């Protein structure tokens, strides 16, 4: 059975973290970061926060990761103010590869059409 509470909390954290990044974090490394998904552990102690960045440069991706890791404390503090939870989960930021993967598949399909 799916854990509906974990899904609801994950959706709320996704919405809040996007808002916090937009309004409260002034670090230029995370300006173009968008939170795409949040996966919660069943006991709500940990949140895997998936993000994407508009740039495809590896250096920008590394800077964004470092910026998010540096801002984790402030993000958790803001989540504590905005969410009515007993304990705010630990946040782990992970680069979302699905968009790049989808683009790669699209390119491969387009090239397949050209070759025939």
């Amino acid at each position: 059975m799916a854990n509906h509470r974990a899904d609801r909390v994950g959706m709320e954290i996704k919405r809040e973290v996007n808002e916090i990044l937009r309004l409260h974090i002034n670090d230029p490394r995370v300006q173009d970061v968008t939170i795409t998904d949040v996966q919660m552990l069943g006991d709500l102690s940990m949140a895997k926060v998936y993000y994407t960045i508009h740039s495809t440069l590896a250096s920008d991706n590394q800077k964004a990761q470092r910026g998010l890791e540096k801002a984790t404390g402030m993000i958790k503090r803001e989540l504590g103010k905005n969410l009515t939870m007993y304990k705010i989960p630990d946040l782990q930021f992970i680069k979302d590869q699905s968009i790049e993967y989808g683009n790669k598949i699209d390119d491969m399909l387009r090239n397949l059409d050209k070759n025939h």
Side-chain angles (χ1 to χ4, degrees):
M1 180 177 143
N3 188 343
H4 296 295
R5 181 161 189 257
D7 292 343
R8 282 196 319 269
V9 170
M11 286 190 328
E12 191 66 22
I13 288 176
K14 174 185 168 186
R15 190 177 64 74
E16 289 291 335
V17 172
N18 270 317
E19 195 75 6
I20 292 165
L21 288 174
R22 198 169 56 80
L23 299 176
H24 299 287
I25 307 293
N26 296 323
D27 190 335
R29 297 176 292 188
V30 298
Q31 277 183 333
D32 291 333
V33 169
T34 302
I35 304 304
T36 57
D37 194 21
V38 174
Q39 298 291 319
M40 300 294 301
L41 282 184
D43 64 357
L44 306 181
S45 65
M46 169 75 128
K48 291 183 178 182
V49 181
Y50 292 89
Y51 70 93
T52 186
I53 184 169
H54 298 294
S55 173
T56 57
L57 296 174
S59 61
D60 287 345
N61 287 322
Q62 291 170 346
K63 288 177 189 173
Q65 181 73 33
R66 283 197 301 272
L68 288 167
E69 288 168 0
K70 189 169 183 348
T72 299
M74 184 173 183
I75 293 170
K76 278 187 74 168
R77 201 165 31 258
E78 289 295 319
L79 284 174
K81 292 178 190 174
N82 300 339
L83 299 178
T84 53
M85 290 180 68
Y86 175 68
K87 182 182 182 299
I88 299 301
D90 292 327
L91 304 176
Q92 178 185 9
F93 289 96
I94 302 168
K95 174 87 167 73
D96 188 347
Q97 304 291 340
S98 61
I99 294 172
E100 292 171 21
Y101 181 73
N103 289 340
K104 183 178 173 185
I105 297 293
D106 284 345
D107 289 342
M108 290 169 67
L109 289 173
R110 271 192 223 98
N111 289 335
L112 196 65
D113 288 342
K114 289 178 186 176
N115 293 337
H116 283 75

